[in-house]
Amino acid sequence: MATAFSLILGLLGVAALAFWILAIRLSYRVERLRKPDLRNPRLVYTNIFFTAFWSPPAAAPEDKKVQQQMRVRLSAALGCLLVMAALSFALPLLPRDTTKVAPPAAPVFHAVGTTLSYIRSNQSGAKPERILVHIPSPNEIHVAKLAAPCTDAAYVTAIIDPATDEAKTLTGGRLRRDATQLPQAFFTLDPARKLIVRLGDPTAAPAETPDAPPAPWRMYDFDLAEFALLGPREPKSFSFGLAMAWPDGAPPIVRILGAANAKFLYSSDSGARQHFHISGPAFTDPAIGSRGGEMITDAKFGHVIEARFGRPNHSGYDNFLLKLTSVAEGRAGNQTWREAIAAHWKDCPADPA
């Protein structure tokens, strides 16, 4: 209703201006009637109200007729202005139009079964390792880390809580010869935001219980796999927390790295890619300084396309480079996953007795 009233006010304003201009034209016409010797009456000052409501005693009939037309047009102009004034007082009291805004587009997720293939290495390309990120269900991620065939390979799984967009459980283990997981370490996020770390058995007593990093937390040595389900999908800055398992060093096993800030830089490839600069406490070394870098994500699905950071996420590495090599959706992804983990131990020598 408020929009309709605003439109009416605009139309009344245009009508008032039109009547006013017509009245001015008649005013000059009256001047010509009263002063026939004027060469250019439009250059003469005219008072339209005086002309409309006063006439000389010996005014000609035509003078009076034009005066009457002026009065009608002036009255119409003033009437429009009075109606506008009245409506302007009522306008703030009217309910505003509630324009229906289209809800934001629902996020797009990879089809169940999708497998993303990466190469993780030093930024020099040294120590390349094949990383497979598999999505067996809408809230589950499996990651296999495959170096040379017939060698030890990590197999890590995570269950994602859709309410918080972070992992609620994460299980680290090794890839068996039968392409299943041998679970070895169990990480659980409890309601008090403690990471409960158990070793060997999911029912064992907690080995460590550090405070979880800021929400939503990510496990750095999970090779950014969470992004395949959780994004980001919007071209804007965001933040997350990082933890990292480091079993090769001195205790603790789990290191809480802290907050990471992803500053949106720009979009490329016609908006298909989003570029972020990664920094923050999680990527700050007291001795070296910033060890962050750049991350490129897929704008539609949110998975990482490429990431270059100064901080390594596994022992034996100097820094971190992750590059996407292929994406197989749905059934094709399931086949890619099964074939890759089966081929890793195929025709390998038996374990020594």
Side-chain angles (χ1 to χ4, degrees), residues 10-343:
L11 294 174
L12 287 172
V14 172
L17 180 61
F19 283 123
W20 194 268
I21 293 173
L22 291 174
I24 292 175
R25 294 186 63 185
L26 289 177
S27 177
Y28 284 118
R29 184 176 173 186
V30 171
E31 292 291 339
R32 286 198 300 271
L33 291 173
R34 293 179 182 178
K35 301 176 183 179
D37 56 336
L38 288 176
R39 293 184 179 180
N40 192 348
R42 283 187 171 84
L43 299 178
V44 177
Y45 170 77
T46 178
N47 185 327
I48 59 174
F49 288 100
F50 181 80
T51 304
F53 296 99
W54 178 89
S55 58
E62 187 177 359
D63 186 324
K64 294 182 178 180
K65 181 179 178 181
V66 176
Q67 264 191 323
Q68 182 60 33
Q69 293 176 1
M70 281 186 65
R71 291 169 185 166
V72 171
R73 294 179 183 181
L74 283 174
S75 298
L78 292 173
C80 289
L81 292 174
L82 289 173
V83 173
M84 286 177 64
L87 291 178
S88 67
F89 283 107
L91 186 60
L93 304 178
L94 297 174
R96 293 182 178 271
D97 292 338
T98 54
T99 304
K100 292 184 178 179
V101 179
V108 179
F109 296 95
H110 283 294
V112 169
T114 295
T115 297
L116 300 94
S117 299
Y118 292 89
I119 296 295
R120 191 227 313 126
S121 67
N122 280 322
Q123 292 183 15
S124 64
K127 297 187 176 182
E129 188 168 323
R130 187 183 183 190
I131 308 297
L132 297 179
V133 177
H134 181 57
I135 304 174
S137 73
N139 66 333
E140 192 174 1
I141 305 171
H142 289 198
V143 172
K145 308 180 185 189
L146 311 175
C150 303
T151 61
D152 188 39
Y155 186 165
V156 187
T157 63
I159 303 296
I160 302 298
D161 184 350
T164 61
D165 282 346
E166 58 186 355
K168 59 182 179 180
T169 64
L170 192 145
T171 303
R174 317 315 293 176
L175 177 63
R176 287 190 176 110
R177 289 174 177 264
D178 63 356
T180 61
Q181 184 195 46
L182 172 64
Q184 296 172 324
F186 306 87
F187 307 84
T188 303
L189 179 67
D190 79 351
R193 292 206 65 78
K194 292 278 189 180
L195 276 181
I196 311 301
V197 182
R198 293 179 170 89
L199 303 176
D201 190 288
T203 61
E208 296 175 2
T209 57
D211 291 332
W217 81 285
R218 307 285 184 256
M219 183 66 90
Y220 190 30
D221 49 306
F222 203 35
D223 292 306
L224 309 180
E226 298 99 328
F227 288 83
L229 277 183
L230 303 175
R233 296 177 178 85
E234 298 181 14
K236 64 180 184 181
S237 300
F238 65 99
S239 62
F240 55 99
L242 274 186
M244 177 171 60
W246 200 270
D248 299 334
I253 295 172
V254 175
R255 301 181 181 183
I256 305 302
L257 304 182
N261 303 318
K263 180 182 179 181
F264 175 73
L265 298 177
Y266 59 92
S267 297
S268 66
D269 194 14
S270 301
R273 298 182 173 206
Q274 298 177 163
H275 296 248
F276 298 88
H277 179 259
I278 308 299
S279 61
F283 289 96
T284 301
D285 189 308
I288 300 174
S290 176
R291 304 190 72 179
E294 185 183 15
M295 181 173 70
I296 306 171
T297 63
D298 182 89
K300 181 179 180 181
F301 294 106
H303 60 257
V304 173
I305 296 174
E306 183 174 328
R308 293 173 176 267
F309 305 145
R311 177 185 285 276
N313 74 337
H314 286 81
S315 62
Y317 285 79
D318 300 319
N319 43 48
F320 178 85
L321 173 62
L322 184 72
K323 282 189 174 184
L324 180 69
T325 58
S326 65
V327 178
E329 292 279 348
R331 292 182 179 178
N334 276 324
Q335 182 177 355
T336 298
W337 173 259
R338 288 194 300 266
E339 290 178 353
I341 60 176

Side-chain angles (χ1 to χ4, degrees), residues 177 345 348-353:
R177 289 174 177 264
W345 287 111
C348 295
D351 291 331

